[in-house]
């Protein structure tokens, strides 16, 4: 049972550090509906927060505002995401007299330590495990994604500069990527993690290039082949490690997040193998502000198993033997708007798709989109466009 001292500290931390009042009157203040909610959240951390919301144990009128304040206050860092975090947590818990009082009242969860150690010592993104995220998330059903995503079926951050609508932000993003690739008619382009084929179709239709796209999702591949029918696009159900052939350009949009820390060097080795001598590689990547070894527990269980956002440090170290970084462009603040637009479209579409999913799934998806929006609003995670080459003489003019 949760003692009154721990509960009081829990409430004080939310109030003083995150400006959140339990059962308060502001739209971002959560309303607690189940007496065991506090204990569950403290006992199970982020997993407890997310699952208790899915089960209807608490509500929040402005869920994105709640998540933004929690993440802005860095309250998620009480849960370890690396070996360094585990060591610090144990030291603060038992040996550091100046550690925050809340740390000394939080339970040390063996699952947290086991999960971090597993990621550190085992490769959780082998070929046999890489299919897991596709079965759990990307194969959910095209009926959902068709309604939530825009006309280009881009399941990635939009580009809102000079955009007034969601559709314009999506058009801006695919056009910007193509401009950064410096596409020319007749080029062969490799799209690693092509998703629903929207970018591949756009490149083939507007730039007269030949595109090969790969994905591990059967549902995405089926949709992409239909979406790209009549265009010079080939969609393959293939692991990136099995890629062959050489291409003039390579692009990868929000796929390396599923590659995992132990495979970053191998990923860039594959790109190096596939990219021609004068080639350009554009990587669109969700990136953590700091180097971590595991994802948030709730996201890992319900959405993106074994996923991890690479830091710039990790990307630099993995790409250093192969490429020159020609340009870095941070568009991460735009993902807040994109996530909120997806959420609005998802809620609007719910009456049409509710026969295929239950209420708990609806709450799970709403929590996911709002929590992610809050993270980008708090600037805890970024989205980078990284343009690589083998070292262009005179440099490379990269558009914005």
């Amino acid at each position: 049972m949760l003692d009154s001292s721990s509960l009081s500290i829990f409430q004080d931390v939310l109030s003083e550090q995150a400006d959140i009042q339990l059962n308060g009157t502001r739209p971002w203040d959560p309303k607690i509906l189940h007496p065991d909610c506090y204990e569950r959240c403290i006992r199970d951390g982020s997993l407890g927060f997310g699952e208790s919301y899915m089960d209807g144990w608490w509500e929040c009128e402005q869920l994105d505002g709640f998540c933004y304040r929690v993440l802005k206050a860095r309250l998620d860092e009480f849960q370890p995401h690396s070996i360094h975090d585990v060591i610090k947590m144990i030291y603060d818990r038992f040996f550091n007299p100046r550690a925050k009082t809340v740390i000394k009242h939080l339970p040390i969860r063996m699952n947290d330590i086991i999960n971090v150690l597993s990621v550190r010592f085992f490769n959780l993104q082998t070929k046999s495990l890489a299919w897991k995220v596709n079965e759990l998330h990307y194969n959910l059903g095209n009926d959902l994604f068709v309604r939530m995503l825009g006309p280009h079926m881009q399941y990635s951050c939009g580009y809102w500069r000079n955009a007034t609508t969601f559709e314009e932000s999506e058009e801006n993003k695919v056009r910007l990527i193509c401009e950064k690739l410096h596409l020319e008619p007749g080029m062969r382009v490799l799209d690693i993690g092509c998703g629903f084929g929207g970018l591949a179709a756009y490149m083939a239709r507007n730039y007269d290039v030949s595109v090969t796209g790969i994905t591990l999702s059967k549902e995405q591949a089926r949709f992409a082949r239909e979406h790209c029918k009549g265009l010079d696009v080939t969609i393959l159900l293939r692991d990136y490690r099995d890629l062959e052939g050489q291409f003039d350009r390579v692009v990868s949009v929000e796929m390396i997040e599923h590659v995992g820390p132990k495979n970053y060097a191998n990923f860039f080795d594959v790109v190096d193998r596939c990219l021609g001598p004068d080639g350009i590689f554009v990587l669109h990547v969700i990136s953590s502000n700091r180097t971590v070894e595991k994802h948030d527990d709730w996201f890992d269980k319900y959405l993106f198993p074994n996923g991890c956002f690479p830091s710039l440090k990790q990307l630099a170290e993995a790409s250093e033997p192969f490429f020159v970084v020609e340009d870095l462009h941070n568009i991460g603040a735009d993902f807040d708007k994109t996530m909120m637009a997806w959420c609005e479209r998802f809620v609007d579409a719910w009456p049409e798709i509710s026969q295929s999913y239950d209420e708990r799934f609806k709450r799970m998806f709403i929590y996911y989109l709002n929590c992610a929006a809050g993270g980008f609003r708090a600037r805890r995670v970024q989205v980078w466009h990284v343009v690589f080459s083998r070292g262009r003489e005179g440099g490379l003019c990269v558009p914005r």
Side-chain angles (χ1 to χ4, degrees):
M1 291 293 292
L2 184 65
D3 60 70
S4 58
S5 176
S6 295
L7 176 57
S8 176
I9 290 172
F10 178 61
Q11 293 173 322
D12 288 346
V13 167
L14 284 175
S15 175
E16 295 171 11
Q17 297 187 34
D19 189 29
I20 293 170
Q21 295 286 341
L22 298 177
N23 296 313
T25 59
R26 298 165 302 180
W28 61 82
D29 290 330
K31 306 297 186 293
I32 307 303
L33 306 177
H34 194 288
D36 295 332
C37 186
Y38 304 111
E39 183 171 2
R40 185 178 187 182
C41 291
I42 291 177
R43 183 189 68 228
D44 297 335
S46 67
L47 187 61
F49 262 105
E51 288 186 335
S52 59
Y53 182 83
M54 290 166 62
D55 292 336
W57 285 25
W58 60 279
E59 291 284 359
C60 188
E61 178 185 344
Q62 194 183 86
L63 187 56
D64 58 309
F66 167 80
C67 294
Y68 158 71
R69 285 166 174 79
V70 167
L71 295 170
K72 186 71 172 178
R74 313 184 82 86
L75 299 187
D76 60 312
E77 292 187 356
F78 291 131
Q79 186 166 319
H81 294 87
S82 66
I83 291 291
H84 176 269
D85 290 346
V86 170
I87 295 171
K88 185 176 185 303
M89 178 185 67
I90 294 174
Y91 172 73
D92 286 343
R93 178 73 167 82
F94 296 107
F95 306 109
N96 186 1
R98 292 180 292 180
K100 294 178 181 178
T101 307
V102 64
I103 292 175
K104 296 184 176 295
H105 283 76
L106 288 174
I108 293 179
R109 296 181 288 268
M110 285 304 299
N111 280 346
D112 287 344
I113 298 175
I114 292 171
N115 288 340
V116 168
L117 291 175
S118 296
V119 174
R120 169 51 80 82
F121 295 110
F122 299 99
N123 186 356
L124 301 183
Q125 293 87 7
T126 61
K127 284 185 183 180
S128 61
L129 293 174
W131 296 82
K132 188 176 180 181
V133 65
N134 297 281
E135 294 301 319
L136 180 66
H137 189 73
Y138 296 115
N139 289 342
L140 277 174
N142 291 338
D143 59 336
L144 185 161
F145 291 114
V146 163
R147 290 166 174 81
M148 188 180 82
L149 306 179
H152 291 298
M153 289 296 288
Q154 290 292 289
Y155 198 14
S156 57
C157 178
Y159 188 47
W160 288 83
R161 182 178 179 181
N162 300 324
T164 58
T165 67
F166 169 67
E167 289 76 15
E168 287 176 352
S169 76
E170 189 177 59
E171 175 79 16
N172 285 352
K173 189 265 301 291
V174 291
R175 183 174 62 250
L176 181 66
I177 289 173
C178 291
E179 290 174 352
K180 290 181 177 182
L181 284 166
H182 291 259
L183 298 176
E184 297 176 8
M187 281 185 170
R188 298 185 67 224
V189 182
L190 173 63
D191 186 352
I192 303 177
C194 65
F196 297 98
L199 177 59
Y202 187 89
M203 290 189 290
R205 183 179 293 114
N206 293 282
Y207 293 87
D208 193 24
V209 296
S210 174
V211 185
T212 298
I214 67 163
T215 177
L216 286 178
S217 166
K218 295 177 182 178
E219 287 298 309
Q220 285 187 336
R222 181 173 64 83
F223 185 95
R225 285 166 184 154
E226 184 64 29
H227 189 64
C228 297
K229 185 176 290 186
L231 299 171
D232 191 0
V233 176
T234 302
I235 303 296
L236 303 175
L237 200 63
R238 184 166 299 176
D239 190 284
Y240 71 93
R241 285 161 282 212
D242 296 328
L243 280 167
E244 298 175 349
Q246 195 166 88
F247 300 83
D248 302 295
R249 301 289 188 264
V250 177
V251 61
S252 185
V253 178
E254 291 183 24
M255 177 273 181
I256 198 173
E257 298 83 353
H258 304 301
V259 165
K262 291 193 175 299
N263 302 303
Y264 294 148
N266 188 28
F267 175 85
F268 281 98
D269 180 60
V270 169
V271 175
D272 176 62
R273 185 176 74 217
C274 293
L275 188 64
D278 197 36
I280 297 171
F281 169 41
V282 173
L283 179 68
H284 173 127
V285 51
I286 302 174
S287 175
S288 174
N289 286 353
R290 66 189 186 102
T291 298
V292 296
E293 292 165 329
K294 65 182 289 292
H295 211 333
D296 172 89
D297 286 348
W298 185 85
F299 275 79
D300 186 74
K301 180 175 180 179
Y302 287 98
L303 291 157
F304 307 111
N306 301 326
C308 187
F309 297 153
S311 66
L312 279 179
K313 175 184 176 182
Q314 290 170 308
L315 292 173
E317 289 177 345
S319 64
E320 184 180 85
F322 308 105
F323 301 113
V324 170
V325 175
E326 296 283 0
D327 188 68
L328 277 172
H329 182 191
N330 190 348
I331 66 169
D334 287 7
F335 222 157
D336 177 12
K337 291 182 179 180
T338 303
M339 287 286 178
M340 295 309 295
W342 285 348
C343 189
E344 181 180 353
R345 293 167 69 92
F346 173 77
V347 172
D348 289 345
W350 183 250
E352 300 177 58
I353 63 174
S354 58
Q355 297 301 313
S356 302
Y357 308 92
D358 60 20
E359 187 66 21
R360 194 169 190 262
F361 175 88
K362 178 186 178 183
R363 294 180 66 86
M364 180 268 286
F365 224 77
I366 288 174
Y367 183 82
Y368 147 51
L369 294 171
N370 280 271
C371 190
F376 286 101
R377 192 178 309 164
R379 304 309 307 279
R380 294 293 306 282
V381 279
Q382 314 303 324
V383 177
W384 293 99
H385 278 183
V386 191
V387 180
F388 297 94
S389 80
R390 301 190 189 282
R392 287 288 187 101
E393 289 187 17
L396 188 68
C397 180
V398 181
R400 288 288 190 270

